[in-house]
């Protein structure tokens, strides 16, 4: 048993990782092209962050939280900021592709590294599937607006059409008229009704989602230079549009719409956690570029912080402009930025926003389709996936096989499936990665204390948590007790039986971990920023509901099965030990 535990906790130390880092700044066996500079990395970060989240999910978040959702953007940015500093320290000291997977391998060991690598694959894939479907919706809407509409059965996934047809048929049987139903039901009904058939199978598929995924995958396949140029151009265009939205929208702001600032209280603001956090997902993708940066130790930390600061500033201003232009309760729409301008009779601006959404989401697809193959590649280099996943194209110098697989993993589900009900899995997966990265910094700091090993590169500023964490937790507890005492009452209420109690499990688990971290911080003089990063991200995970936790844990169990079936036996570290 002890040998088994040693095997699953075997670590690929930072020293061993850097031993692969040759004098010519290439990783043995890959020879990726080093072409990314600071501006390119910041552009990649903005490309990943400003996307589907800000163009769609900000509407529902604002409808629930009112103008106060701007505070949630700040709170979430702070949580991401703690994580970004931890990512920056790892990226600076271990400039190797793989993002949180590589960092977990160096700090926690192989099993946790596999878990986080598997988690990141889910995060990137599901996130891109959702983005591809959203891109298709905006794209087809713009085509319809200029008189180039496509048949509904070519612009909708199979499941949405099937379910929508069944629902619309039921409503018509009850006497409702099709034209009086919501637009999405009308489109689903017509798609299913008019679709050609192959035997008894209706041929309904989201062709635009397939097309954009293949196009982006091709760009990533042929090289980082092409991806870099495309990302930089897309980012410039969407930043111009967002600044235009802010400037023009400011003239139509009615300050009266900002009162009440938090109409549904703290609970209303927190309902938007998933939506707001989804708008921040992506800055960690910068760390996957480590082996293609000209100076990763210097530029990666700077790029993460700069991208986060720029996007947070834009988000807060944008949230205030949207909730100032129209009453907050009107914003529960799929295209809030376009809606507010239609609402004030600026249809030209609404059209510009719709086009910019297409650009924004294409850039998100580009960054994540770029990042995911490099995680496959890193796992393959360690023997946890078949060797072909780390094969580098002789001409384009990209992980060609992993890129192709990533394209199919995203394109095929986007063609036929509606995954909107599991998009929260992207948020919970990302938060889990953030928790482990923050925890990894604490582990590495403890090891350095024991070995007196000198740290090189960027380092998270040290603040002793022994004195500050108790004060912060006491302040938060006081604010909850004074302003939201029902939160405490509801948490320990036994009404509703298991059906109600199971939804409290994530929060109860968080409180237990908080108590443990408080004790450890006091006894071990832990660094405050990684501790706060771990706790804030873990808290955000509790807001995503028991259903998402159940799905997330099921995905991790599947990953563990694959690890023990293949990775455990083929690990290069295991072979070195023999």
């Amino acid at each position: 048993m002890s040998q088994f535990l040693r095997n699953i906790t075997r670590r690929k130390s930072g020293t061993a990782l850097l031993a692969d880092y040759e004098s010519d700044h290439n990783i043995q066996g890959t020879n990726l092209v080093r072409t990314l500079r600071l501006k390119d990395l910041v552009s990649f970060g903005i490309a990943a962050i400003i996307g589907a989240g800000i163009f769609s999910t900000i509407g529902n978040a604002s409808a629930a939280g009112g103008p106060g959702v701007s505070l949630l953007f700040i709170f979430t940015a702070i949580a991401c900021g703690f994580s970004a500093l931890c990512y920056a320290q790892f990226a600076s000291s271990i400039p190797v592709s793989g993002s949180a997977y590589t960092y977990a391998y160096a700090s926690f060991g192989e099993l946790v590294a596999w878990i986080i690598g598997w988690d990141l694959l889910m995060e990137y894939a599901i996130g891109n599937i959702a983005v591809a479907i959203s891109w298709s919706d905006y794209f087809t809407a713009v085509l319809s607006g200029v008189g180039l509409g496509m048949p509904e059965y070519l612009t909708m996934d199979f499941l949405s059409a099937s379910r929508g047809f069944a629902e619309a048929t039921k409503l018509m049987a009850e006497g409702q008229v099709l034209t009086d139903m919501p637009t999405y039901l009308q489109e689903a009904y017509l798609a299913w009704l008019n679709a050609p058939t192959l035997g008894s199978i209706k041929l309904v598929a989201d062709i635009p989602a397939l097309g954009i995924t293949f196009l982006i995958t091709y760009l990533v396949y042929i090289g980082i230079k092409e991806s870099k140029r495309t990302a930089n151009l897309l980012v410039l265009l969407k930043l111009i549009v967002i600044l235009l939205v802010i400037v023009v929208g400011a003239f139509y702001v009615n300050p009266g719409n900002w009162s009440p600032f938090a109409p549904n209280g703290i609970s209303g603001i927190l309902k938007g956690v998933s939506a707001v956090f989804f708008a921040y997902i992506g800055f960690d993708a910068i760390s996957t570029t480590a082996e293609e940066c000209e100076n990763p130790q210097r530029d990666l930390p700077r790029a993460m912080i700069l991208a986060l600061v720029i996007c947070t500033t834009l988000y807060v201003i944008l949230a205030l402009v949207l909730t100032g232009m129209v009453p907050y309760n009107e914003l529960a729409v799929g295209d809030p930025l376009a809606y507010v301008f239609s609402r004030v009779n600026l249809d030209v601006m609404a059209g510009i926003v719709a086009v910019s959404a297409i650009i924004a989401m294409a850039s998100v697809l580009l960054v994540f389709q770029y990042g995911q193959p490099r995680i496959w590649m890193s796992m393959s280099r360690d023997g946890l996936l078949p060797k072909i996943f780390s094969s580098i194209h002789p001409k384009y110098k990209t992980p060609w096989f992993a890129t192709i697989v990533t394209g199919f993993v995203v394109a095929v589900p986007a063609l036929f499936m509606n995954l909107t009900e599991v998009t929260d899995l992207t948020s919970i997966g990302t938060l889990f990665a953030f928790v482990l990265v923050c925890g990894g910094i604490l582990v590495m700091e403890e090891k350095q204390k024991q070995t007196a090993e000198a740290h090189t590169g960027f380092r998270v500023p040290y603040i002793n948590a022994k004195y500050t964490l108790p004060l912060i937790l006491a302040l938060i507890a006081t604010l909850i007790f004074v302003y939201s005492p029902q939160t405490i009452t509801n948490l320990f209420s036994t009404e509703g039986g298991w059906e109600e109690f199971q939804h409290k499990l994530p929060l109860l688990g968080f409180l237990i971990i908080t108590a443990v971290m408080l004790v450890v911080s006091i006894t071990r003089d832990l660094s405050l920023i990684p501790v706060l990063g771990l706790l804030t991200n873990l808290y955000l995970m509790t807001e995503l509901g028991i259903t998402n936790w159940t799905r997330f844990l099921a995905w991790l169990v599947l990953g563990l099965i694959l690890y023990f079936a293949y990775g455990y036996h083929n690990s290069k570290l295991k072979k070195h030990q023999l």
Side-chain angles (χ1 to χ4, degrees):
M1 185 65 177
S2 59
Q3 180 61 43
F4 172 75
L5 291 175
R6 282 196 295 270
N7 285 342
I8 63 175
T9 57
R10 52 199 172 209
R11 294 188 301 273
K12 191 171 185 180
S13 69
T15 304
L17 286 163
L18 291 175
D20 291 339
Y21 191 65
E22 297 180 335
S23 57
D24 64 353
H25 290 180
N26 286 320
I27 300 295
Q28 295 173 9
T30 64
N31 297 318
L32 297 174
V33 178
R34 291 192 172 276
T35 184
L36 298 177
R37 299 179 179 179
L38 178 61
K39 64 180 179 63
D40 303 313
L41 295 172
V42 174
S43 178
F44 260 66
I46 295 173
I49 297 171
I50 298 180
I54 198 61
F55 281 93
S56 58
T57 58
I58 189 177
N60 289 324
S62 299
V69 78
S70 57
L71 299 179
L72 184 57
F73 276 111
I74 296 174
F75 173 71
T76 307
I78 292 172
C80 290
F82 294 144
S83 305
L85 290 171
C86 296
Y87 266 96
Q89 178 169 324
F90 270 126
S92 175
S93 57
I94 310 175
V96 180
S97 287
S99 186
Y101 160 76
T102 298
Y103 310 150
Y105 217 149
S107 53
F108 291 106
E110 185 170 287
L111 180 62
V112 175
W114 167 267
I115 289 173
I116 197 61
W118 185 248
D119 163 66
L120 288 172
L121 296 181
M122 176 197 71
E123 170 202 335
Y124 282 26
I126 291 181
N128 254 4
I129 292 166
V131 172
I133 293 171
S134 297
W135 184 93
S136 172
D137 291 342
Y138 270 96
F139 179 72
T140 53
V142 170
L143 286 183
S144 296
V146 296
L148 297 174
M150 297 173 64
E152 289 84 356
Y153 58 83
L154 294 180
T155 63
M156 181 175 295
D157 61 274
F158 184 91
L159 291 179
S160 291
S162 175
R163 293 169 182 171
F165 179 81
E167 185 177 349
T169 301
K170 180 181 178 182
L171 291 174
M172 285 190 289
E174 295 172 356
Q176 288 197 33
V177 180
L178 180 64
T179 53
D180 293 336
M181 297 179 193
T183 303
Y184 75 92
L185 280 183
Q186 295 182 39
E187 292 176 350
Y189 179 85
L190 293 174
W192 191 261
L193 185 67
N194 298 325
T197 59
L198 182 62
S200 60
I201 300 175
K202 290 280 187 176
L203 299 180
V204 181
D206 196 340
I207 299 300
L210 175 73
I212 189 62
T213 303
F214 278 166
L215 175 61
I216 294 296
T217 302
Y218 172 73
L219 282 173
V220 174
Y221 180 87
I222 63 175
I224 184 59
K225 289 183 179 179
E226 289 72 17
S227 301
K228 177 185 74 174
R229 292 170 186 148
T230 305
N232 288 346
L233 176 61
L234 294 179
V235 165
L236 178 62
L237 289 174
K238 71 180 175 183
L239 283 180
I240 291 172
V241 171
I242 287 177
L243 290 173
L244 183 64
V245 168
I246 291 172
V247 171
V248 175
F251 289 98
Y252 292 85
V253 166
N254 175 12
N257 288 331
W258 290 334
S259 180
F261 192 72
N264 298 313
I266 294 176
S267 60
I269 292 175
L270 290 176
K271 282 183 180 178
V273 163
S274 176
V276 168
F277 187 79
F278 188 76
Y280 278 103
I281 286 175
F283 81 84
D284 58 318
I286 299 174
S287 63
T288 66
T289 68
E291 293 174 32
E292 286 143 298
C293 300
E294 289 188 356
N295 192 336
Q297 288 94 338
R298 182 195 67 191
D299 291 342
L300 282 173
R302 294 180 181 181
M304 289 181 185
I305 302 301
L306 281 173
L308 201 57
V309 169
I310 292 170
C311 293
T312 299
T313 303
L314 292 174
Y315 281 176
V316 172
I317 297 173
L318 200 56
L320 290 173
V321 168
L322 290 181
T323 53
M325 289 180 68
V326 302
Y328 72 92
N329 53 10
E330 294 185 18
L331 289 171
V333 294
D335 53 347
L337 272 67
Y339 171 77
V340 293
F341 286 106
S342 296
R343 179 74 163 66
V344 296
N345 299 317
L346 286 179
D347 292 333
V348 173
M349 276 298 300
I352 292 173
V353 169
V355 173
S356 70
I358 295 173
I359 296 171
M361 284 185 270
S363 68
V364 176
L365 275 168
L366 176 64
V367 172
F368 280 97
Q369 288 296 94
Y370 169 84
Q372 185 170 341
R374 281 142 185 84
I375 297 174
W376 293 99
M377 178 186 72
S378 296
M379 297 173 75
S380 171
R381 286 198 312 222
D382 293 327
L384 304 185
L385 287 175
K387 187 176 180 180
I388 192 171
F389 281 93
S390 56
S391 176
I392 303 300
H393 196 283
K395 177 181 178 182
Y396 299 125
K397 305 299 182 184
T398 57
W400 67 273
F401 182 79
T403 301
I404 292 173
V405 171
T406 299
F408 279 101
V409 165
V410 174
V412 174
L415 190 65
F416 298 110
M417 298 178 66
N418 180 353
L419 295 181
T420 53
E421 65 269 20
V422 295
T423 50
D424 283 354
L425 278 173
T426 303
S427 294
I428 200 170
T430 304
L431 286 166
F432 182 64
F434 288 1
V435 166
L436 286 185
V437 168
C438 293
I441 290 294
L442 295 173
V443 172
M444 297 295 282
E445 292 286 335
E446 286 297 298
K447 290 176 183 175
Q448 287 175 356
K449 288 180 185 177
Q450 296 169 8
T451 61
E453 180 183 343
H455 179 84
T456 58
F458 175 84
R459 185 169 190 169
V460 175
Y462 178 79
I463 303 171
N464 196 331
K466 175 190 288 187
Y467 307 107
T468 48
L469 185 62
L471 292 176
I472 293 172
L473 294 179
L475 176 62
I476 294 173
T478 302
L479 291 173
I480 293 174
F481 183 78
V482 172
Y483 293 103
S484 188
Q486 69 275 11
T487 301
I488 302 173
T489 305
N490 293 338
L491 181 61
F492 295 101
S493 172
T494 57
E495 294 181 8
W498 172 250
E499 287 299 318
E500 290 293 328
F501 180 74
Q502 63 176 333
H503 295 286
K504 303 174 184 178
L505 290 176
L507 184 55
L508 290 171
F510 166 76
L511 293 177
I512 293 171
I513 293 174
T514 300
V516 171
M517 290 304 300
L518 177 61
V519 172
V520 176
S521 296
I522 293 173
T523 58
R524 302 293 300 175
D525 292 329
L526 297 184
S527 178
L528 178 66
I529 290 177
V531 170
L532 289 180
L534 188 154
L535 293 179
T536 51
N537 287 301
L538 193 59
Y539 173 73
L540 290 173
M541 288 179 73
T542 68
E543 291 291 329
L544 295 178
I546 191 65
T547 301
N548 288 304
W549 275 85
T550 303
R551 291 169 175 166
F552 176 62
L553 292 175
W555 175 258
L556 294 187
V557 168
L558 176 60
L560 288 175
I561 293 172
L562 293 177
Y563 169 72
F564 286 111
Y566 183 89
Y568 178 79
H569 302 287
N570 293 277
S571 166
K572 287 187 177 179
L573 279 186
K574 180 181 180 182
K575 294 177 180 178
H576 289 324
Q577 292 172 354
L578 296 177

